[in-house]
């Protein structure tokens, strides 16, 4: 039921004002996250996933702005709230983990001091602060002695965990993560993801996870949303998207991963490159690169059509009932 | 030949730190900033004064005591005459040349020295860097005005050459630190390592690979040095350390102060050259804005024309 | 049996760290021996801090080794003193870099690097011939129309195109071995495959060998004939790619393999290794992996394991793996 959803984004559009007119970075995106769900948003550079994330978290700065749509977070439209209202629920109900802890953590303050800042900002008493800080570090597997450490004294993996600990200070309902593993090595990456999953099971929060590493997120997410050129092109349960990708882009992307186990096949990737958002291709934005382009794809812009348990933005899947209305 | 992914796309991907093409690009960059255009126009006006003063005044030899002293401004003497009988406007116009020459020449050589020391120190690193940085910092920290006065007095009352030398010696160190900082940030960029691996000599790398990526900074440095030179030269001459018989704004200030122009009701004699010094300095500062914006995109004015919400 | 192009023995590189007065030294590479043959793609896999980039730079003569020897076509690199000899070496062994956004000088057109390279390393060519060769290599890396691409500035090209230019620059020398330092890790996934295919094509068409340095096992498997696994400055396993991946003998290789995500197979989520980086500043004797190793025995803390051949051309540096192999062959 839609009312259970922790996050319900509808028709979200984000535009950048440039000298040459507005550039649409996120185009009419629908997205939802249920309680305790792990939703992965994947796509390559320029697809708009990070912009989408920032828009949801209301962290956009000019010249970018939300120009349409709603971001429903437990009944409140984040897109329409003022800074003051947002500050009440920021971190308490909704927190954000950034890509690079080195950039997000204050290098001249100890970890403990940063936790304290956050706790004080939300009105916690002194005694609670110390306890909560220790508790939260233990949750992520860091020795509480590191409350005294500075960010540069911790390894990359530990810093990311400290960021996650900080994000969990108030056991929010939703944690938004922007590529938190991309600066880590493969073993540390896996370990961090496993940790996040464990915490999720223990504390019950939902996760919206943005990444370019489809391969990694596929092992941990419940649902997957694939973005291309500012639009959602496929979304559905993770295994379905992986085993039966309904959109040619998703299929192409999956095929571009060389496998480690299993037969050694020749791969071809996807020819061409992602379009300029200033001037996206007409009709289906993927048509110039699509191996199954059908002629009318350059004229008609597809909607998201249901395909089994997922949805795909591809004219191959126009439901029979709508064919007459959609096709030329 | 094996069929490879042939990439024929012609669309350019916008990169965050696109360096404009040189030459035409620089001019376009300057023209796009309103402040810079004002500065440029001002500068060009002064250039015309310097190149052909005869266009603006009928007086041939402005320092000659040819007129009645202390006259008020009139149609014959636009700014009046000095206490010694010289046409102030004529003096002003003829003085432009020396002031401009000082600004450009001292600015140029100070910049050359800054670039040489700063870039070499950063690129070579190690002991060379330590030594050169020490020298730079010593010069930076020395109190300039007392140093200038000592140097100028020691060198004998100032011919133009002495003034120029003094300005270059005291004006290079600030820029050297900037150049060094910028070069340090570039030092580990892959394209420089690529040049090293290619087998290029160090001198080649510094001159051909590093410097062109720093053109905006170097030009900005030059403008800063020119500004410094204009103001300091005027100051030196005002104190009497220049050649009192020469034709420059600073010398005019010297004489007007000497003859107590402000107290005896001839304020234009002091104000006019002072204003010119200030305006020339301002023109450099304004042109500099354009270069600051080029090299540091964060300073570019954010177009606040936000995209409008179309529906709730 | 053709003789190897590169032979390194006991290669060691230590860096002084901690300021001018400190005695601490960072053991970036310790006692590494490797071989690169003609027409071969060798993958050097390791995480950050493993020393793989340092090896590339040692082979590219950006650093001088602290000790050990590198032989190129039988001649020791140390014996190449004159500029002529050094340049001849550089012609044969160019490098391709990781970051497409900083590997080309933004102030010049894309042709600059290629033309400079040709001028320095193919002095026999005249101006027109250099231009023709530049066009040829740009086409050879799959960029077209070559003349137009050469005239562009780096900011007008995409990341994938810039990396191809990096390969073109290397190709212009008619090299024998190209040192590729993580050439695809900063590119989008759908673009990577194109460049990996380019490497295998260049090996087939131009007869070039590659040292492909990466942290990504999957791409290493896709292109390479042989695999070298590095950890904390040592080579811990080496052998034909398929053998190493099918039967990894070193616990670190096993760990890497289990942690590497593959969308087609489920990820092993057991194991508590959190990926803490190894200690390479003044390391103590013994195996550097022992703190993380599930199989560590007493001997591991005392003695550095050496690479030992434990299968056909397949070596690993592990006391436990050696013991197992001995036990098996004794039966």
């Amino acid at each position: 039921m839609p009312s259970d959803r922790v996050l319900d984004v509808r028709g979200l559009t984000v535009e950048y004002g440039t000298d040459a007119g507005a550039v649409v970075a996120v185009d009419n995106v629908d997205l939802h996250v249920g309680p305790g769900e792990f939703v992965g948003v994947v796509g390559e550079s320029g697809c708009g996933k990070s912009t989408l994330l920032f828009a949801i978290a209301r962290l956009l700065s000019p010249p970018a702005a939300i120009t349409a749509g709603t971001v429903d977070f437990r009944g409140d439209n984040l897109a329409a709230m003022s800074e003051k209202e947002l500050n009440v629920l920021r971190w308490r109900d909704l927190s954000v983990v950034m890509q690079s802890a080195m950039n997000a953590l204050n290098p001249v303050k100890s970890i403990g001091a940063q936790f304290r800042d956050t706790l004080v900002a939300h009105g916690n008493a002194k005694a609670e602060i110390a306890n909560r800080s220790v508790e939260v570090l233990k949750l992520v597997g860091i020795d509480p002695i590191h409350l005294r450490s500075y960010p540069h004294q911790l390894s990359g993996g530990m810093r990311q965990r400290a960021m996650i600990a900080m994000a969990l200070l108030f056991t929010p309902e939703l944690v938004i993560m922007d590529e938190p593993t991309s600066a880590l090595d493969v073993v540390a990456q896996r370990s961090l993801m496993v940790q996040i999953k464990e915490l999720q099971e223990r504390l019950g929060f939902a996760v919206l996870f943005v990444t370019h590493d489809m391969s990694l997120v596929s092992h941990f997410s419940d649902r997957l949303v694939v973005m291309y050129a500012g639009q959602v092109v496929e979304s559905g349960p993770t295994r379905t998207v992986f085993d039966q990708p309904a959109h040619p882009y998703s299929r192409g992307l999956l095929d571009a991963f060389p496998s480690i186990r299993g037969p050694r096949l020749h791969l071809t990737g996807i020819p061409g490159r992602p379009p300029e958002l200033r001037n996206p291709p007409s009709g289906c934005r993927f048509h110039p690169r699509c191996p199954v382009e059908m002629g009318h794809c350059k004229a008609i812009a597809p909607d998201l059509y249901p395909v089994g348990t997922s949805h795909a933005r591809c004219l191959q899947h126009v439901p029979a009932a709508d064919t007459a209305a959609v096709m030329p | 030949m094996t069929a490879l992914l042939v990439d024929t796309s012609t669309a350019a991907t916008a990169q965050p730190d696109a360096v404009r093409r040189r030459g035409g690009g620089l001019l376009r960059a300057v023209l796009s900033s309103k402040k810079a255009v004002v500065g440029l126009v001002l500068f060009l006006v002064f250039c015309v004064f310097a190149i052909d003063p005869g266009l603006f005044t009928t007086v041939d030899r402005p320092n000659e005591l040819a007129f009645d002293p202390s006259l008020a401004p009139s149609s014959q003497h636009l700014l009046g005459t000095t206490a010694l009988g010289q046409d102030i406007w004529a003096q002003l116009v003829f003085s432009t040349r020396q002031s401009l020459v000082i600004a450009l020449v001292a600015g140029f050589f100070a910049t050359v020295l800054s670039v040489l020391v700063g870039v070499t120190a950063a690129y070579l690193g190690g002991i060379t860097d330590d030594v050169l940085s020490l020298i730079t910092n010593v010069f930076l920290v020395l109190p300039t005005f007392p140093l200038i006065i000592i140097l100028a007095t020691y060198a004998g009352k100032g011919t133009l050459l002495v003034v120029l030398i003094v300005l270059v010696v005291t004006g290079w160190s600030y820029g050297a630190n900037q150049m060094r900082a910028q070069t340090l940030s570039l030092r580990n960029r892959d394209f420089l390592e690529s040049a090293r691996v290619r087998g290029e000599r160090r001198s080649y790398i510094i001159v051909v690979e590093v410097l062109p990526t720093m053109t905006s900074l170097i030009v900005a440095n030059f403008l800063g040095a020119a500004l410094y030179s204009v103001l300091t030269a005027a100051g030196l001459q005002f104190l009497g350390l220049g050649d009192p018989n020469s034709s420059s704004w600073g010398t005019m200030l010297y004489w007007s102060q000497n003859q107590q122009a402000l107290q005896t009701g001839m304020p234009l004699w002091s104000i006019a050259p002072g204003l010119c010094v200030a305006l020339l300095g301002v023109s450099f500062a304004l042109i500099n804005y354009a270069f600051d914006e080029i090299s540091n995109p964060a300073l570019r004015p954010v177009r606040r024309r936000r995209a409008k919400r179309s529906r709730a | 049996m053709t003789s190897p192009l590169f032979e390194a023995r006991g290669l060691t590189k230590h860096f002084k760290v901690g300021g001018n007065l400190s005695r601490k030294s960072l053991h970036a590479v310790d006692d590494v021996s490797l071989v690169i043959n003609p027409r071969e793609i060798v993958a050097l896999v390791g995480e950050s801090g493993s020393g793989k980039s340092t090896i590339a730079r040692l082979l590219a003569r950006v650093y001088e080794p602290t000790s050990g020897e590198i032989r190129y076509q039988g001649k020791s690199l140390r014996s190449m003193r004159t500029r002529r000899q050094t340049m001849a070496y550089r012609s044969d062994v160019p490098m391709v870099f990781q970051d497409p956004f900083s590997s080309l000088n933004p102030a010049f057109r894309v042709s600059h690097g290629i033309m400079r390279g040709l001028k320095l390393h193919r002095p026999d060519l005249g101006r027109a011939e250099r231009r023709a060769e530049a066009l040829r290599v740009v086409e050879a890396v799959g960029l077209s129309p070559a003349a137009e691409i050469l005239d562009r500035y780096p900011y007008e090209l995409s990341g994938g195109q810039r990396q191809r230019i990096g390969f073109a620059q290397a190709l212009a020398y008619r090299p024998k071995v190209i040192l590729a330092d993580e050439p695809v890790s900063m590119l989008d996934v759908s673009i990577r495959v194109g460049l990996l295919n380019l490497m295998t094509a260049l090996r087939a068409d131009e007869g070039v060998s590659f040292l492909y340095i990466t942290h990504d096992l999957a791409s290493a498997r896709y292109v390479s004939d042989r695999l070298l696994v590095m950890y904390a400055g040592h080579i811990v396993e080496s052998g034909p790619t398929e053998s190493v991946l099918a039967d990894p003998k070193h616990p670190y290789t096993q760990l890497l393999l289990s942690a590497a995500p593959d969308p087609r197979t489920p990820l092993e989520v057991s194991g508590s290794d959190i990926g803490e980086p190894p200690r390479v500043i003044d390391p103590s004797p013994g195996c550097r992996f022992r703190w993380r190793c599930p199989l560590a025995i007493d001997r591991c803390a005392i003695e550095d394991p050496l690479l030992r051949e434990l299968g056909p051309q397949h070596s690993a540096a592990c006391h436990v793996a050696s013991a197992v192999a001995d036990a098996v062959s004794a039966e």
Side-chain angles (χ1 to χ4, degrees):
Chain A
M1 287 238 46
S3 52
D4 290 349
R5 292 173 177 175
V6 170
L7 184 72
D8 203 348
V9 176
R10 286 182 205 262
L12 190 62
T13 303
V14 177
E15 294 181 27
Y16 280 85
T18 66
D19 294 343
V23 173
V24 182
V26 173
D27 194 351
N28 200 9
V29 164
D30 289 339
L31 179 72
H32 61 91
V33 182
E37 231 191 343
F38 191 127
V39 175
V41 178
V42 299
E44 299 180 300
S45 29
C47 70
K49 60 191 191 296
S50 289
T51 311
L52 173 65
L53 196 80
F54 282 113
I56 292 174
R58 288 293 310 273
L59 292 172
L60 289 175
S61 31
I66 299 177
T67 53
T70 56
V71 179
D72 205 68
F73 178 67
R74 294 180 329 157
D76 297 316
N77 182 4
L78 292 180
M81 286 167 80
S82 66
E83 280 297 305
K84 213 163 162 206
E85 294 166 322
L86 284 170
N87 281 339
V88 171
L89 49 75
R90 267 182 178 144
W91 230 254
R92 197 192 65 191
D93 303 320
L94 165 75
S95 59
V96 182
V97 175
M98 296 296 187
Q99 179 168 7
S100 166
M102 249 348 250
N103 291 344
L105 289 174
N106 190 333
V108 299
K109 282 188 155 184
S110 68
I111 306 287
Q114 298 188 54
F115 284 7
R116 197 181 320 128
D117 278 348
T118 321
L119 290 162
V120 163
H122 281 263
N124 284 51
K126 252 197 171 152
E128 287 171 25
I129 291 178
N131 285 339
R132 186 68 190 148
S133 305
V134 167
E135 224 183 305
V136 116
L137 275 190
K138 282 200 192 145
L139 262 182
V140 297
I142 297 181
D143 188 331
I145 201 175
H146 285 293
L147 278 173
R148 274 187 256 139
S149 301
Y150 287 85
H152 68 269
Q153 293 173 316
L154 303 176
S155 72
M158 282 177 84
R159 279 199 292 267
Q160 289 301 105
R161 285 158 192 274
M163 284 242 56
I164 293 181
M166 197 147 107
L168 296 175
L169 278 172
F170 299 104
T171 52
E173 272 188 67
L174 176 66
V175 181
I176 298 181
M177 302 195 183
D178 183 13
E179 309 229 37
T181 57
S182 57
L184 302 176
D185 285 323
V186 75
V187 179
Q189 257 185 8
R190 177 182 64 168
S191 158
L192 193 72
M193 294 303 293
V194 167
Q195 176 95 86
I196 294 174
K197 265 317 247 195
E198 261 172 29
L199 288 169
Q200 221 199 350
E201 271 152 38
R202 222 155 116 185
L203 302 174
F205 55 89
V207 172
L208 184 62
F209 194 99
V210 165
T211 180
H212 66 275
D213 194 343
M214 209 167 161
S215 193
L216 179 68
V217 83
S218 66
H219 296 289
F220 300 96
S221 59
D222 299 314
R223 278 192 305 114
L224 211 54
V225 173
V226 181
M227 285 189 72
Y228 183 79
Q231 296 177 317
V232 171
V233 296
E234 185 157 357
S235 87
T238 309
R239 247 18 269 172
T240 315
V241 173
F242 267 80
D243 296 332
Q244 290 134 32
H247 193 285
Y249 175 65
S250 319
R251 190 170 313 121
L253 206 55
L254 282 171
D255 283 346
F257 282 95
S259 80
I260 305 186
R261 310 154 189 102
R264 195 169 158 176
L265 303 162
H266 180 80
L267 302 174
T268 48
I270 306 178
R273 45 191 177 115
E276 276 287 294
L277 290 175
R278 259 171 244 280
N279 213 353
S282 58
C284 171
R285 289 184 185 175
F286 187 61
H287 85 255
R289 305 170 73 189
C290 186
V292 294
E293 202 258 328
M294 300 184 288
H296 51 264
C297 299
K298 54 168 88 63
I300 310 174
D303 281 331
L304 271 175
Y305 305 115
V307 183
T309 48
S310 20
H311 287 77
R313 189 181 294 272
C314 178
L315 292 174
Q316 288 181 311
H317 302 290
V318 176
D322 301 335
T323 316
V326 173
M327 297 305 196
Chain B
M1 188 157 86
T2 319
L4 300 166
L5 250 63
V6 175
D7 204 324
T8 55
S9 107
T10 51
T13 310
Q15 292 305 325
D17 57 341
V19 170
R20 311 234 176 148
R21 298 181 195 217
R22 293 178 293 165
L26 275 179
L27 191 62
R28 216 183 320 130
V30 171
L31 292 175
S32 67
S33 160
K34 291 199 194 91
K35 290 180 251 204
V37 171
V38 170
L40 195 59
V41 164
L42 211 48
F43 176 68
L44 288 173
V45 164
F46 280 121
C47 280
V48 175
F49 275 31
I51 294 172
D52 197 355
L55 282 178
F56 299 93
T57 172
T58 51
V59 177
D60 267 1
R61 290 188 292 273
N63 285 347
E64 209 181 85
L65 311 176
F67 307 101
D68 295 329
S70 309
L71 291 176
S74 67
S75 55
Q76 284 162 313
H77 302 287
L78 283 173
L79 294 173
T81 59
T82 68
L84 307 163
Q86 301 146 321
D87 184 323
I88 296 178
W89 170 250
Q91 279 198 319
L92 206 64
V93 169
F94 274 88
S95 300
T96 314
R97 183 176 295 175
Q98 192 185 87
S99 302
L100 211 55
V101 162
I102 291 177
L104 297 177
V105 172
F108 175 76
F109 283 105
T111 307
V112 165
L113 206 52
S114 306
V115 168
L116 266 173
V117 173
V119 174
T120 313
Y123 193 75
L124 295 181
I127 296 273
T128 319
D129 186 13
D130 290 340
V131 167
L132 287 176
S133 291
L134 183 63
I135 296 176
T136 310
N137 289 328
V138 163
F139 272 92
L140 198 57
V141 158
L142 285 179
T144 34
F145 235 60
L147 176 66
I148 288 172
I149 293 172
I150 294 171
L151 277 175
T153 323
Y154 186 70
K157 273 215 180 198
T159 52
L160 188 57
L161 185 61
V162 170
V163 170
L164 285 172
I165 290 177
V166 163
L167 289 173
V168 170
V169 161
T170 55
W172 68 270
S173 53
Y174 181 74
N177 265 345
Q178 283 191 312
M179 295 295 156
R180 179 175 174 274
Q182 179 72 355
T183 310
L184 278 179
S185 78
L186 285 176
R187 199 164 64 159
N188 292 318
R189 297 275 216 106
D190 283 350
F191 65 85
L192 291 180
E193 212 171 4
S194 177
R196 278 192 284 266
V197 171
R198 199 157 71 213
E200 305 279 15
R201 291 179 213 268
R202 269 203 300 221
S203 51
Y204 167 89
I205 295 183
I206 293 178
V207 173
V208 179
E209 299 277 343
V210 175
L211 287 186
T213 58
M214 293 170 51
T215 32
S216 313
L217 188 63
I218 295 176
V219 173
N221 209 283
F222 167 72
L223 291 168
L227 173 57
Y228 166 79
S229 305
V230 167
L231 300 177
T232 313
L236 274 180
Q237 289 160 336
F238 172 70
L239 289 176
L241 295 167
D243 177 2
N245 295 320
S246 67
S247 236
S248 77
W249 295 329
T251 320
M252 284 176 75
L253 284 169
Y254 169 74
W255 283 111
S256 65
Q257 209 268 353
N258 194 288
Q259 300 294 316
Q260 302 192 310
L262 288 169
Q263 289 91 324
T264 57
M266 288 188 293
L268 280 174
W269 192 10
S270 281
I271 293 176
L275 197 60
C276 282
V277 168
L279 282 176
L280 185 59
V282 161
S283 77
F284 289 131
L286 287 175
I287 300 176
N288 208 354
Y289 270 108
F291 289 95
D292 270 347
E293 285 175 11
I294 298 174
S295 40
N296 187 352
L299 293 174
R300 290 186 201 155
V302 172
R303 306 274 177 261
R304 297 215 158 236
R305 278 180 281 111
R306 272 167 164 238
K308 298 265 175 48
R309 261 187 99 80
S310 52
R311 60 178 190 278
Chain C
M1 176 79 167
T2 47
S3 55
L5 279 178
F6 261 118
E7 243 190 293
R9 257 190 278 249
L11 199 54
T12 304
K13 179 67 183 168
H14 295 171
F15 292 101
K16 219 157 58 85
V17 290
N20 285 325
L21 297 174
S22 135
R23 292 282 190 87
K24 292 201 261 201
S25 103
L26 187 142
H27 291 224
V29 174
D30 258 332
D31 197 27
V32 160
S33 299
L34 58 83
V35 162
I36 302 178
N37 295 309
R39 285 188 174 254
E40 178 179 52
I41 301 186
V42 176
L44 183 57
V45 173
E47 298 181 308
S48 22
S50 58
K52 57 192 197 299
S53 288
T54 311
I55 296 232
R57 279 155 181 75
L58 284 167
L59 293 181
R61 297 198 82 182
V62 172
Y63 301 143
E64 287 295 312
T66 308
S67 69
E69 189 181 54
I70 305 175
R71 283 183 172 274
Y72 174 67
Q73 290 183 329
K75 276 177 61 194
S76 159
L77 248 49
R78 269 207 202 93
S79 72
M80 296 182 194
R81 297 275 173 76
T82 66
R83 184 161 163 84
R84 196 89 112 8
Q85 290 171 319
T86 314
M87 290 304 269
Y89 175 77
R90 291 192 188 288
S91 291
D92 280 353
V93 189
M95 195 154 140
V96 174
F97 296 87
Q98 176 177 14
D99 184 355
F101 298 105
S102 73
S103 57
L104 299 176
N105 190 327
F108 293 102
R109 290 178 209 273
V110 144
S111 51
H112 170 80
I114 302 179
M115 298 301 270
R116 270 310 293 179
L118 284 169
K119 195 139 185 240
L120 285 172
H121 296 280
R122 308 268 300 273
D124 48 303
L125 297 179
R127 197 136 185 253
E129 291 167 314
R130 280 202 290 268
R131 177 83 185 170
E133 183 66 3
L135 291 168
R136 181 190 82 86
V137 296
V138 169
E139 298 256 356
V141 299
L143 290 175
S144 182
E148 208 215 301
I149 300 263
L150 276 175
D151 274 343
R152 294 208 197 150
Y153 282 87
Y155 74 89
E156 293 174 287
L157 299 180
S158 69
Q161 288 172 318
R162 290 188 218 190
Q163 286 301 79
R164 284 174 190 265
I165 294 286
F167 278 100
Q169 283 179 351
L171 259 195
Y173 307 166
R174 296 211 178 233
K176 302 275 191 316
V177 182
I178 295 184
L179 306 169
D181 187 5
E182 305 224 44
V184 298
S185 35
M186 291 184 69
L187 300 178
D188 277 328
V189 170
S190 59
I191 314 280
R192 283 182 201 177
V193 170
L195 271 116
L196 294 174
N197 287 341
L198 175 63
M199 283 167 62
T200 39
L202 289 175
R203 189 255 304 260
D205 299 336
E206 312 256 342
V208 179
S209 291
F210 281 88
L211 178 67
Y212 173 57
I213 294 169
T214 181
H215 60 271
D216 173 25
L217 265 184
S219 65
R221 185 208 182 187
Y222 186 69
V223 295
S224 64
D225 305 310
R226 280 195 304 119
L227 190 63
L228 303 173
V229 180
M230 270 192 89
Y231 183 79
H234 287 313
I235 296 203
V236 298
E237 188 153 1
S238 84
T241 309
E242 292 303 311
S243 312
V244 172
L245 293 178
D247 180 23
K249 303 215 185 282
H250 194 284
Y252 178 64
T253 314
Q254 292 163 358
L255 176 64
L256 271 189
L257 208 49
S258 76
D262 183 339
R264 300 170 193 82
T265 52
L267 195 62
E268 267 179 54
V269 292
S270 59
S272 54
D273 194 307
I274 56 169
E276 277 304 298
R279 275 167 255 194
V280 288
I281 296 186
D282 293 338
S284 42
C287 177
R288 290 179 193 171
F289 188 62
R290 68 180 181 278
W291 291 283
R292 296 165 68 178
C293 186
L295 309 172
I297 54 180
D298 290 338
R299 194 176 169 203
C300 301
I302 310 169
E303 201 186 313
D304 261 329
L306 297 172
L307 267 179
R308 244 193 82 192
E309 193 160 325
L310 304 176
Q313 316 233 315
H314 182 171
S315 315
C318 175
H319 295 304
V320 174
S322 291
V324 167
D326 285 342
V328 166
S329 59
E331 285 165 9

